[in-house]
Amino acid sequence: MIDSELLYNAKRDGFSDKQIAEIFKVSEAEVRAERKRLGFVPVFKTVDTCAAEFAAETPYHYSTYEEENESVRSDKKKVVILGGGPNRIGQGIEFDYCCVHAAQALAEEGYETIMINCNPETVSTDYDTCTKLYFEPLTFEDVMNILDHEKPDGVIVTFGGQTPLKLAKQLEAVGVPILGTAPDNIDIAEDRKRFGELIDKLGIKCPPYGTATTEEEAVAVADKIGYPVLVRPSYVLGGRSMEICYRPESVSEYMASAKGVSHERPVLIDRFLEDAYEFDVDAVRDKEGTVIIGGVMQHIEEAGIHSGDSSSVIPPYDTSEDIYALIVAYTRVLANALNVIGLINIQFAVKESTVYVLEVNPRASRTVPFVSKATGRPLAKIAAKIMTGRMLREFDVKDFDKHTPYVAIKESVFPFDKFPRVKMFLGPEMRSTGEVMGSGADFGEAILKSHLAAGIKIPTEGTIFVSLRDQDKKPRTAEIIRGFYSLGFRIIATSGTTKYLTEHDIPAEAVNKVTEGRPNIIDAIKNGEVQLVINTPSGEISRIAEYEIGWSALAYKVPFMTTLSAAASVVSAVHSLRKGERIVRSIQELHTELTTGV
């Protein structure tokens, strides 16, 4: 094995067990076992927040290979919560919200709460959020070092997003008590083959799917289920590396560039449902099998846009009672089939009155804060208590009622103005870096407030530029653009879109594309002649000219819409803006209205 002095020096110099294992061609488990046998374990130092001027009493700790351990283990019952790790696109602050609420709820239950996280910009790492904070990376080695020291009664891995979730099986394998849904049931939801077998058994529809580990397998699966297809890695974070492919060559290119593909982590291939509408459901289940529907949201954007980027509406604004009842029924069936204990999020697609299950996440989701604030029910707090053994019948909480007295909308915030030359067209890979919420008496007022909060300046008059891909030239689109024309807006468009609009009796003036000479649409934007841009991307990969339009719109602060649903929402917002009858109400007033009707 490794020389003991060399091992000790390597640990003091900051080498991880995994790095040492790779250097010496052994497993991480072997390095860990040898290190523990030799007594090479880290100690935990306390962060001196008073710079030695006063005696510091702080729960902040960090690990180091020294002699004295300053973290004192108590005899109280305790729960460790694994945070979300570094903030980045796809793993946002929504998960930190869930972790903080879990800490608050467990403190109410008399538990000592211990947070493991490594992001100083989160509330979970504030000094007064938990009993103790370990400012450490979310790796198996670092987490286990803390768990070996603290010996908690349970660990929560399902509130911090994919980062801690990936540790669940490893932790369970070494005897760590995981609270809530069992890691194997989480894996069923993540493993496309196991999940497919489950929903086939339950008689629930999902888009045709398959898995592949090689380029040949992937093309064969795509050919079998039919194009377009959505391809993505297993255990994906924030839709990272997801693509919609319309032809075999695109699938081959995707597989050639895919990393980490193996039989344990194959690429998932699903039939992409075009012209479908998505719904999100957040629910809580206890170990007795009771399921409470926390909220049902409808996405404004059509299927294909990542749920973290889509605008969501509570209550659903365009669905029948039968469809709604089926979505709720499927949620209960799936939560019970996966033996969920705590939170579950399910994404559905509805196409031609058929309900499909797209994704099941038996964990906290990024929609939990929005649902909780919109409905006045702290879902993460309730779920945390359920995970420690409490029952839903002990709480005064009922199923979500879609007949709410107001509309709440979650709007995503994007960083495009801070990152020039990035792709601003939305798709299955998440791009938003935050979200805001708007509420109002109707859809128009709520969407107006959410747009304003997201920094989108809604024009009430002027000129709109429209450029539509061929797939979007359909009757519904004409009605959306007609809505702008009826409001008095002047319509300019590319030659192809102008021909389509005039065929539908919508007056439109042709303007040159970037490649068709001067003056062109870029000139019009720069000259302040355009107040809104509606540009849906053409084909699989948007052309450079389309990006030039988007970048110019961002540079000159012209609202830029890349989906028809977003454009339709602006029509409603303009109607509300022109009425000028907006009421500002606090979230507490909204919650009071929910419970009292006043």
Side-chain angles (χ1 to χ4, degrees), residues 27-61:
S27 69
E28 182 182 357
E30 289 176 294
V31 175
R32 172 178 163 77
E34 179 68 6
R35 176 170 60 76
K36 292 186 71 176
R37 185 186 71 81
L38 294 169
F40 296 164
V41 294
V43 296
F44 298 96
K45 296 294 186 180
T46 302
V47 176
D48 188 350
T49 53
C50 298
E53 187 174 354
F54 306 102
E57 294 183 8
T58 172
Y60 283 41
H61 299 291

mmCIF file of all heavy atoms in Angstrom, residues 27-61:
data_model
loop_
_atom_site.group_PDB
_atom_site.id
_atom_site.type_symbol
_atom_site.label_atom_id
_atom_site.label_comp_id
_atom_site.label_asym_id
_atom_site.label_seq_id
_atom_site.Cartn_x
_atom_site.Cartn_y
_atom_site.Cartn_z
ATOM 1 N N SER A 27 -8.404 1.993 -5.441
ATOM 2 C CA SER A 27 -9.722 2.608 -5.318
ATOM 3 C C SER A 27 -9.721 3.668 -4.216
ATOM 4 O O SER A 27 -8.883 3.645 -3.300
ATOM 5 C CB SER A 27 -10.778 1.547 -4.990
ATOM 6 O OG SER A 27 -10.591 1.045 -3.681
ATOM 7 N N GLU A 28 -10.669 4.589 -4.321
ATOM 8 C CA GLU A 28 -10.820 5.619 -3.289
ATOM 9 C C GLU A 28 -11.132 4.979 -1.937
ATOM 10 O O GLU A 28 -10.651 5.426 -0.894
ATOM 11 C CB GLU A 28 -11.930 6.595 -3.678
ATOM 12 C CG GLU A 28 -12.123 7.729 -2.680
ATOM 13 C CD GLU A 28 -13.251 8.669 -3.053
ATOM 14 O OE1 GLU A 28 -13.870 8.484 -4.131
ATOM 15 O OE2 GLU A 28 -13.541 9.602 -2.258
ATOM 16 N N ALA A 29 -11.916 3.897 -1.948
ATOM 17 C CA ALA A 29 -12.274 3.206 -0.712
ATOM 18 C C ALA A 29 -11.039 2.631 -0.019
ATOM 19 O O ALA A 29 -10.927 2.658 1.218
ATOM 20 C CB ALA A 29 -13.284 2.098 -1.001
ATOM 21 N N GLU A 30 -10.089 2.126 -0.823
ATOM 22 C CA GLU A 30 -8.865 1.573 -0.240
ATOM 23 C C GLU A 30 -8.017 2.666 0.413
ATOM 24 O O GLU A 30 -7.459 2.470 1.502
ATOM 25 C CB GLU A 30 -8.056 0.863 -1.329
ATOM 26 C CG GLU A 30 -8.674 -0.442 -1.809
ATOM 27 C CD GLU A 30 -7.888 -1.064 -2.944
ATOM 28 O OE1 GLU A 30 -7.855 -0.461 -4.040
ATOM 29 O OE2 GLU A 30 -7.285 -2.144 -2.736
ATOM 30 N N VAL A 31 -7.928 3.816 -0.232
ATOM 31 C CA VAL A 31 -7.170 4.929 0.347
ATOM 32 C C VAL A 31 -7.822 5.380 1.643
ATOM 33 O O VAL A 31 -7.150 5.604 2.660
ATOM 34 C CB VAL A 31 -7.086 6.108 -0.643
ATOM 35 C CG1 VAL A 31 -6.402 7.312 0.020
ATOM 36 C CG2 VAL A 31 -6.326 5.708 -1.896
ATOM 37 N N ARG A 32 -9.135 5.491 1.616
ATOM 38 C CA ARG A 32 -9.868 5.923 2.816
ATOM 39 C C ARG A 32 -9.656 4.935 3.963
ATOM 40 O O ARG A 32 -9.404 5.320 5.109
ATOM 41 C CB ARG A 32 -11.356 6.055 2.480
ATOM 42 C CG ARG A 32 -12.255 6.310 3.680
ATOM 43 C CD ARG A 32 -13.707 6.471 3.236
ATOM 44 N NE ARG A 32 -14.609 6.306 4.355
ATOM 45 C CZ ARG A 32 -14.837 7.220 5.278
ATOM 46 N NH1 ARG A 32 -14.227 8.395 5.215
ATOM 47 N NH2 ARG A 32 -15.679 6.988 6.266
ATOM 48 N N ALA A 33 -9.753 3.634 3.657
ATOM 49 C CA ALA A 33 -9.590 2.607 4.695
ATOM 50 C C ALA A 33 -8.178 2.644 5.292
ATOM 51 O O ALA A 33 -7.988 2.561 6.515
ATOM 52 C CB ALA A 33 -9.896 1.230 4.122
ATOM 53 N N GLU A 34 -7.171 2.777 4.433
ATOM 54 C CA GLU A 34 -5.784 2.816 4.903
ATOM 55 C C GLU A 34 -5.532 4.079 5.732
ATOM 56 O O GLU A 34 -4.858 4.044 6.772
ATOM 57 C CB GLU A 34 -4.837 2.771 3.705
ATOM 58 C CG GLU A 34 -3.358 2.837 4.056
ATOM 59 C CD GLU A 34 -2.838 1.608 4.794
ATOM 60 O OE1 GLU A 34 -3.613 0.624 4.941
ATOM 61 O OE2 GLU A 34 -1.658 1.617 5.211
ATOM 62 N N ARG A 35 -6.073 5.182 5.280
ATOM 63 C CA ARG A 35 -5.903 6.438 6.005
ATOM 64 C C ARG A 35 -6.519 6.353 7.407
ATOM 65 O O ARG A 35 -5.908 6.771 8.401
ATOM 66 C CB ARG A 35 -6.545 7.572 5.192
ATOM 67 C CG ARG A 35 -6.523 8.929 5.865
ATOM 68 C CD ARG A 35 -6.960 10.021 4.904
ATOM 69 N NE ARG A 35 -8.301 9.850 4.375
ATOM 70 C CZ ARG A 35 -9.413 10.105 5.065
ATOM 71 N NH1 ARG A 35 -9.350 10.509 6.327
ATOM 72 N NH2 ARG A 35 -10.599 9.940 4.510
ATOM 73 N N LYS A 36 -7.697 5.776 7.481
ATOM 74 C CA LYS A 36 -8.367 5.656 8.784
ATOM 75 C C LYS A 36 -7.637 4.649 9.676
ATOM 76 O O LYS A 36 -7.559 4.823 10.897
ATOM 77 C CB LYS A 36 -9.831 5.258 8.587
ATOM 78 C CG LYS A 36 -10.674 6.365 7.929
ATOM 79 C CD LYS A 36 -12.141 6.004 7.873
ATOM 80 C CE LYS A 36 -12.759 6.049 9.264
ATOM 81 N NZ LYS A 36 -14.205 5.806 9.229
ATOM 82 N N ARG A 37 -7.104 3.580 9.057
ATOM 83 C CA ARG A 37 -6.363 2.589 9.843
ATOM 84 C C ARG A 37 -5.144 3.222 10.499
ATOM 85 O O ARG A 37 -4.797 2.899 11.638
ATOM 86 C CB ARG A 37 -5.945 1.432 8.929
ATOM 87 C CG ARG A 37 -5.255 0.267 9.659
ATOM 88 C CD ARG A 37 -4.750 -0.776 8.686
ATOM 89 N NE ARG A 37 -3.600 -0.310 7.929
ATOM 90 C CZ ARG A 37 -2.347 -0.307 8.394
ATOM 91 N NH1 ARG A 37 -2.087 -0.724 9.632
ATOM 92 N NH2 ARG A 37 -1.353 0.129 7.633
ATOM 93 N N LEU A 38 -4.516 4.142 9.770
ATOM 94 C CA LEU A 38 -3.323 4.811 10.297
ATOM 95 C C LEU A 38 -3.667 5.992 11.203
ATOM 96 O O LEU A 38 -2.773 6.622 11.774
ATOM 97 C CB LEU A 38 -2.459 5.300 9.130
ATOM 98 C CG LEU A 38 -1.835 4.208 8.248
ATOM 99 C CD1 LEU A 38 -1.231 4.825 6.989
ATOM 100 C CD2 LEU A 38 -0.784 3.432 9.035
ATOM 101 N N GLY A 39 -4.975 6.287 11.316
ATOM 102 C CA GLY A 39 -5.385 7.402 12.168
ATOM 103 C C GLY A 39 -5.225 8.758 11.523
ATOM 104 O O GLY A 39 -5.192 9.788 12.218
ATOM 105 N N PHE A 40 -5.133 8.788 10.191
ATOM 106 C CA PHE A 40 -4.988 10.060 9.484
ATOM 107 C C PHE A 40 -6.382 10.606 9.167
ATOM 108 O O PHE A 40 -6.959 10.344 8.107
ATOM 109 C CB PHE A 40 -4.204 9.879 8.186
ATOM 110 C CG PHE A 40 -2.788 9.430 8.384
ATOM 111 C CD1 PHE A 40 -2.061 8.919 7.320
ATOM 112 C CD2 PHE A 40 -2.156 9.534 9.621
ATOM 113 C CE1 PHE A 40 -0.746 8.506 7.476
ATOM 114 C CE2 PHE A 40 -0.843 9.115 9.787
ATOM 115 C CZ PHE A 40 -0.141 8.593 8.723
ATOM 116 N N VAL A 41 -6.949 11.316 10.105
ATOM 117 C CA VAL A 41 -8.269 11.926 9.914
ATOM 118 C C VAL A 41 -8.153 13.420 10.182
ATOM 119 O O VAL A 41 -7.346 13.857 10.999
ATOM 120 C CB VAL A 41 -9.327 11.300 10.841
ATOM 121 C CG1 VAL A 41 -9.570 9.852 10.472
ATOM 122 C CG2 VAL A 41 -8.935 11.433 12.296
ATOM 123 N N PRO A 42 -8.955 14.224 9.504
ATOM 124 C CA PRO A 42 -8.855 15.667 9.699
ATOM 125 C C PRO A 42 -9.479 16.098 11.020
ATOM 126 O O PRO A 42 -10.305 15.383 11.599
ATOM 127 C CB PRO A 42 -9.650 16.228 8.513
ATOM 128 C CG PRO A 42 -10.660 15.173 8.215
ATOM 129 C CD PRO A 42 -9.979 13.872 8.493
ATOM 130 N N VAL A 43 -9.089 17.251 11.482
ATOM 131 C CA VAL A 43 -9.751 17.901 12.611
ATOM 132 C C VAL A 43 -10.496 19.101 12.044
ATOM 133 O O VAL A 43 -10.301 19.488 10.890
ATOM 134 C CB VAL A 43 -8.749 18.349 13.688
ATOM 135 C CG1 VAL A 43 -8.049 17.148 14.291
ATOM 136 C CG2 VAL A 43 -7.745 19.344 13.115
ATOM 137 N N PHE A 44 -11.363 19.682 12.849
ATOM 138 C CA PHE A 44 -12.176 20.796 12.385
ATOM 139 C C PHE A 44 -11.878 22.029 13.222
ATOM 140 O O PHE A 44 -11.968 21.995 14.452
ATOM 141 C CB PHE A 44 -13.660 20.434 12.444
ATOM 142 C CG PHE A 44 -14.000 19.270 11.556
ATOM 143 C CD1 PHE A 44 -14.070 17.972 12.065
ATOM 144 C CD2 PHE A 44 -14.213 19.450 10.196
ATOM 145 C CE1 PHE A 44 -14.359 16.903 11.254
ATOM 146 C CE2 PHE A 44 -14.488 18.378 9.375
ATOM 147 C CZ PHE A 44 -14.566 17.096 9.900
ATOM 148 N N LYS A 45 -11.511 23.077 12.538
ATOM 149 C CA LYS A 45 -11.195 24.338 13.183
ATOM 150 C C LYS A 45 -12.402 25.273 13.104
ATOM 151 O O LYS A 45 -13.228 25.186 12.196
ATOM 152 C CB LYS A 45 -9.987 25.001 12.520
ATOM 153 C CG LYS A 45 -8.688 24.195 12.645
ATOM 154 C CD LYS A 45 -8.230 24.106 14.084
ATOM 155 C CE LYS A 45 -6.859 23.430 14.181
ATOM 156 N NZ LYS A 45 -6.397 23.325 15.578
ATOM 157 N N THR A 46 -12.486 26.179 14.066
ATOM 158 C CA THR A 46 -13.555 27.164 14.105
ATOM 159 C C THR A 46 -13.103 28.464 13.454
ATOM 160 O O THR A 46 -11.989 28.927 13.705
ATOM 161 C CB THR A 46 -13.970 27.446 15.565
ATOM 162 O OG1 THR A 46 -14.376 26.218 16.178
ATOM 163 C CG2 THR A 46 -15.112 28.445 15.622
ATOM 164 N N VAL A 47 -13.954 29.022 12.610
ATOM 165 C CA VAL A 47 -13.637 30.297 11.985
ATOM 166 C C VAL A 47 -13.733 31.403 13.031
ATOM 167 O O VAL A 47 -14.759 31.544 13.698
ATOM 168 C CB VAL A 47 -14.604 30.601 10.817
ATOM 169 C CG1 VAL A 47 -14.327 31.988 10.228
ATOM 170 C CG2 VAL A 47 -14.489 29.532 9.742
ATOM 171 N N ASP A 48 -12.652 32.166 13.200
ATOM 172 C CA ASP A 48 -12.642 33.261 14.182
ATOM 173 C C ASP A 48 -13.244 34.499 13.529
ATOM 174 O O ASP A 48 -12.572 35.254 12.840
ATOM 175 C CB ASP A 48 -11.215 33.541 14.649
ATOM 176 C CG ASP A 48 -11.181 34.538 15.808
ATOM 177 O OD1 ASP A 48 -12.243 35.133 16.090
ATOM 178 O OD2 ASP A 48 -10.121 34.711 16.418
ATOM 179 N N THR A 49 -14.537 34.699 13.739
ATOM 180 C CA THR A 49 -15.239 35.818 13.103
ATOM 181 C C THR A 49 -14.979 37.149 13.797
ATOM 182 O O THR A 49 -15.423 38.193 13.323
ATOM 183 C CB THR A 49 -16.750 35.556 13.091
ATOM 184 O OG1 THR A 49 -17.187 35.260 14.428
ATOM 185 C CG2 THR A 49 -17.082 34.385 12.183
ATOM 186 N N CYS A 50 -14.285 37.115 14.932
ATOM 187 C CA CYS A 50 -14.003 38.360 15.657
ATOM 188 C C CYS A 50 -12.539 38.768 15.572
ATOM 189 O O CYS A 50 -12.093 39.678 16.292
ATOM 190 C CB CYS A 50 -14.406 38.212 17.132
ATOM 191 S SG CYS A 50 -16.163 37.897 17.349
ATOM 192 N N ALA A 51 -11.756 38.088 14.744
ATOM 193 C CA ALA A 51 -10.337 38.423 14.519
ATOM 194 C C ALA A 51 -9.564 38.514 15.823
ATOM 195 O O ALA A 51 -8.685 39.352 15.987
ATOM 196 C CB ALA A 51 -10.223 39.729 13.743
ATOM 197 N N ALA A 52 -9.880 37.651 16.783
ATOM 198 C CA ALA A 52 -9.198 37.549 18.081
ATOM 199 C C ALA A 52 -9.438 38.754 18.983
ATOM 200 O O ALA A 52 -8.890 38.841 20.087
ATOM 201 C CB ALA A 52 -7.700 37.321 17.895
ATOM 202 N N GLU A 53 -10.288 39.691 18.554
ATOM 203 C CA GLU A 53 -10.575 40.847 19.401
ATOM 204 C C GLU A 53 -11.507 40.472 20.552
ATOM 205 O O GLU A 53 -11.394 40.985 21.657
ATOM 206 C CB GLU A 53 -11.207 41.961 18.554
ATOM 207 C CG GLU A 53 -11.387 43.261 19.328
ATOM 208 C CD GLU A 53 -11.889 44.384 18.427
ATOM 209 O OE1 GLU A 53 -11.991 44.177 17.196
ATOM 210 O OE2 GLU A 53 -12.171 45.462 18.951
ATOM 211 N N PHE A 54 -12.425 39.560 20.254
ATOM 212 C CA PHE A 54 -13.330 39.036 21.270
ATOM 213 C C PHE A 54 -13.343 37.523 21.138
ATOM 214 O O PHE A 54 -12.925 36.968 20.126
ATOM 215 C CB PHE A 54 -14.756 39.578 21.085
ATOM 216 C CG PHE A 54 -14.838 41.072 21.032
ATOM 217 C CD1 PHE A 54 -14.977 41.719 19.808
ATOM 218 C CD2 PHE A 54 -14.767 41.839 22.189
ATOM 219 C CE1 PHE A 54 -15.052 43.095 19.735
ATOM 220 C CE2 PHE A 54 -14.847 43.218 22.131
ATOM 221 C CZ PHE A 54 -14.987 43.850 20.912
ATOM 222 N N ALA A 55 -13.867 36.869 22.160
ATOM 223 C CA ALA A 55 -14.035 35.411 22.081
ATOM 224 C C ALA A 55 -15.156 35.111 21.091
ATOM 225 O O ALA A 55 -16.287 35.568 21.265
ATOM 226 C CB ALA A 55 -14.375 34.858 23.457
ATOM 227 N N ALA A 56 -14.843 34.371 20.038
ATOM 228 C CA ALA A 56 -15.822 34.099 18.978
ATOM 229 C C ALA A 56 -16.645 32.865 19.312
ATOM 230 O O ALA A 56 -16.109 31.820 19.662
ATOM 231 C CB ALA A 56 -15.116 33.901 17.649
ATOM 232 N N GLU A 57 -17.941 33.020 19.249
ATOM 233 C CA GLU A 57 -18.846 31.875 19.399
ATOM 234 C C GLU A 57 -19.592 31.742 18.079
ATOM 235 O O GLU A 57 -20.579 32.419 17.835
ATOM 236 C CB GLU A 57 -19.815 32.102 20.558
ATOM 237 C CG GLU A 57 -19.123 32.151 21.923
ATOM 238 C CD GLU A 57 -20.111 32.312 23.064
ATOM 239 O OE1 GLU A 57 -21.333 32.229 22.782
ATOM 240 O OE2 GLU A 57 -19.678 32.504 24.201
ATOM 241 N N THR A 58 -19.090 30.886 17.259
ATOM 242 C CA THR A 58 -19.641 30.746 15.907
ATOM 243 C C THR A 58 -19.709 29.274 15.524
ATOM 244 O O THR A 58 -18.875 28.482 15.953
ATOM 245 C CB THR A 58 -18.769 31.508 14.893
ATOM 246 O OG1 THR A 58 -19.220 31.190 13.577
ATOM 247 C CG2 THR A 58 -17.308 31.107 15.003
ATOM 248 N N PRO A 59 -20.710 28.908 14.728
ATOM 249 C CA PRO A 59 -20.825 27.505 14.314
ATOM 250 C C PRO A 59 -20.044 27.177 13.055
ATOM 251 O O PRO A 59 -20.202 26.102 12.509
ATOM 252 C CB PRO A 59 -22.327 27.371 14.069
ATOM 253 C CG PRO A 59 -22.743 28.717 13.588
ATOM 254 C CD PRO A 59 -21.876 29.694 14.310
ATOM 255 N N TYR A 60 -19.225 28.089 12.540
ATOM 256 C CA TYR A 60 -18.500 27.838 11.302
ATOM 257 C C TYR A 60 -17.287 26.945 11.553
ATOM 258 O O TYR A 60 -16.468 27.243 12.414
ATOM 259 C CB TYR A 60 -17.971 29.158 10.722
ATOM 260 C CG TYR A 60 -18.989 30.016 10.013
ATOM 261 C CD1 TYR A 60 -20.277 30.173 10.511
ATOM 262 C CD2 TYR A 60 -18.652 30.685 8.845
ATOM 263 C CE1 TYR A 60 -21.190 30.980 9.873
ATOM 264 C CE2 TYR A 60 -19.559 31.508 8.197
ATOM 265 C CZ TYR A 60 -20.833 31.654 8.717
ATOM 266 O OH TYR A 60 -21.731 32.461 8.070
ATOM 267 N N HIS A 61 -17.169 25.888 10.750
ATOM 268 C CA HIS A 61 -16.012 24.994 10.882
ATOM 269 C C HIS A 61 -15.458 24.639 9.502
ATOM 270 O O HIS A 61 -16.185 24.613 8.513
ATOM 271 C CB HIS A 61 -16.395 23.700 11.605
ATOM 272 C CG HIS A 61 -16.888 23.912 13.001
ATOM 273 N ND1 HIS A 61 -16.086 24.327 14.030
ATOM 274 C CD2 HIS A 61 -18.141 23.777 13.532
ATOM 275 C CE1 HIS A 61 -16.792 24.429 15.142
ATOM 276 N NE2 HIS A 61 -18.042 24.106 14.868
#
